[in-house]
Amino acid sequence: MNDILISGALAGFGIAMPVGAVTVMIVTLSAQTSLRTGLAGAMGTATADGLYALVAALTGAALAGLLQPVAQPMRWTAAVVLLALATKGLADAVRRALDPGSVQRVEETRPLHAYWQFLGLTVLNPLTIVYFSALVLALRNDDWPATGGLMFVAAAFAASASWQALLAVGGALVGRVLTSGKGRLGTALVGNGVIIFLAVRLVSGG
């Protein structure tokens, strides 16, 4: 049982920890709005990781093979969404810099939207299902109990959720340090600039 939980936790951290567009987005979102909003987005990403881990545990490598032909269209779709979100993030940052009172209005309405936004964006990443499928195929053995797959999924979700939450907390701390309008605007410019760069790399295969 402990081996399954450890394997699941390692899988969750393995997919969550590499720095990518979603990582930057969670930190930037939390810094620009609030910890609550950042955590909502973080849990959306963790939910997607958990869902993909569940699918991988149930289907093994079969679904990864089925997704291979549509991997490129999914990457293009994800890149377009990232570019749109980065553009909107920059526009929101400029608006907040010009109208500080708009920050509270954004924070009051955004957490649930952030959850679904990050859930959808993470689901668009075909590499996630390929990663989990390969891991389950390599780790699964006849010694796993009937509930072994669910234990693996739960551990993977918990690991991903804890890491994403840490990113949100880090972003919120950055936001508190950069309390001035120029500081928050600078964070938005850097963060969303990195997102645009990663979106371009996503479709270029870099």
Side-chain angles (χ1 to χ4, degrees), residues 92-180:
D92 288 344
V94 172
R95 187 178 70 251
R96 287 194 296 269
L98 297 175
D99 178 17
S102 66
V103 175
Q104 184 62 33
R105 293 195 296 273
V106 172
E107 291 179 358
E108 288 175 351
T109 59
R110 199 162 184 177
L112 184 59
H113 173 73
Y115 173 84
W116 291 111
Q117 173 182 300
F118 277 78
L119 172 60
L121 186 61
T122 309
V123 164
L124 284 174
N125 185 4
L127 295 179
T128 306
I129 185 63
V130 174
Y131 170 84
F132 276 119
S133 296
L135 273 178
V136 172
L137 192 64
L139 295 172
R140 192 176 186 87
N141 57 64
D142 295 334
D143 294 331
W144 279 23
T147 58
L150 292 178
M151 293 167 58
F152 176 90
V153 171
F157 170 78
S160 176
S162 63
W163 180 255
Q164 310 299 346
L166 182 62
L167 293 176
V169 171
L173 292 176
V174 170
R176 288 190 177 184
V177 172
L178 301 175
T179 54
S180 68

Side-chain angles (χ1 to χ4, degrees), residues 12 16 22-30 33-50 110-120 122 156-172:
V22 173
T23 298
V24 179
M25 288 179 68
I26 290 174
V27 174
T28 304
L29 176 68
S30 193
T33 57
S34 68
L35 177 58
R36 183 180 63 166
T37 304
L39 286 174
M43 291 307 101
T45 292
T47 300
D49 287 345
R110 199 162 184 177
L112 184 59
H113 173 73
Y115 173 84
W116 291 111
Q117 173 182 300
F118 277 78
L119 172 60
T122 309
F157 170 78
S160 176
S162 63
W163 180 255
Q164 310 299 346
L166 182 62
L167 293 176
V169 171

